[in-house]
Amino acid sequence: MGFPDQIVRTVELAHPPAKVWAAITTAEGLGTWFGNTATIDLRPGGAAQMKWDAGDTANMRVERVEEPSVFGFTWHIYGLPEDDPRRTYVEFTLEPVDSGTRLTVVETGFAQLAGDEFQAAFGGNTEGWKSELGELVEYLDAA
């Protein structure tokens, strides 16, 4: 049996899709709940970057933009050296529901890793998405 290839998280948000879309696709949104500052060129092939006060940086490449329902990007794999070319793909899917928006986040590409690399990346990002989506809820509820 191989390693799991994806992390899937779904959260129900008491906000309309347009508000959730802005939170995940704008520099202001990403730089508030996900990082401490962010830039984004919202088009396939566009660059995005998030920075944290602790000095960490995440460079992303926008892969998919289907407003207001799908946003996807690739980024560096946690735990690998900065010059490692392997990336995972993250996709946010927004679905209108009676209570607001159902947001599903799927990160794929972990099967390209093995052993300690897999454990560090998969485990780190599993916990990371749990934490970050909690911060997204707080950001949306405060806005």
Side-chain angles (χ1 to χ4, degrees):
M1 180 172 143
F3 293 113
D5 186 50
Q6 64 181 358
I7 298 167
V8 179
R9 292 280 181 261
T10 300
V11 62
E12 301 278 332
L13 302 164
H15 303 279
K19 185 174 180 180
V20 177
W21 180 262
I24 65 173
T25 62
T26 66
E28 177 185 345
L30 289 171
T32 303
W33 70 270
F34 206 163
N36 295 114
T37 62
T39 60
I40 185 166
D41 178 5
L42 189 61
R43 62 180 177 82
Q49 183 182 71
M50 289 184 300
K51 292 184 180 182
W52 288 265
D53 291 341
D56 294 324
T57 300
N59 293 306
M60 306 164 326
R61 180 180 188 275
V62 175
E63 301 291 345
R64 190 170 173 196
V65 178
E66 295 177 20
E67 185 175 354
S69 58
V70 182
F71 170 58
F73 62 84
T74 52
W75 65 350
H76 178 259
I77 299 174
Y78 175 79
L80 296 184
E82 220 26 68
D83 61 349
D84 192 299
R86 293 175 287 180
R87 301 284 183 264
T88 56
Y89 175 68
V90 177
E91 187 167 276
F92 294 85
T93 303
L94 292 75
E95 177 186 351
V97 293
D98 289 340
S99 60
T101 305
R102 177 176 298 122
L103 176 68
T104 302
V105 180
V106 179
E107 183 172 10
T108 58
F110 295 98
Q112 63 188 312
L113 306 172
D116 292 343
E117 287 179 344
F118 173 83
Q119 295 300 329
F122 191 81
N125 287 26
T126 297
E127 288 304 309
W129 283 117
K130 184 177 177 181
S131 172
E132 294 299 343
L133 290 176
E135 291 180 27
L136 173 61
V137 170
E138 290 175 15
Y139 168 74
L140 289 166
D141 288 350

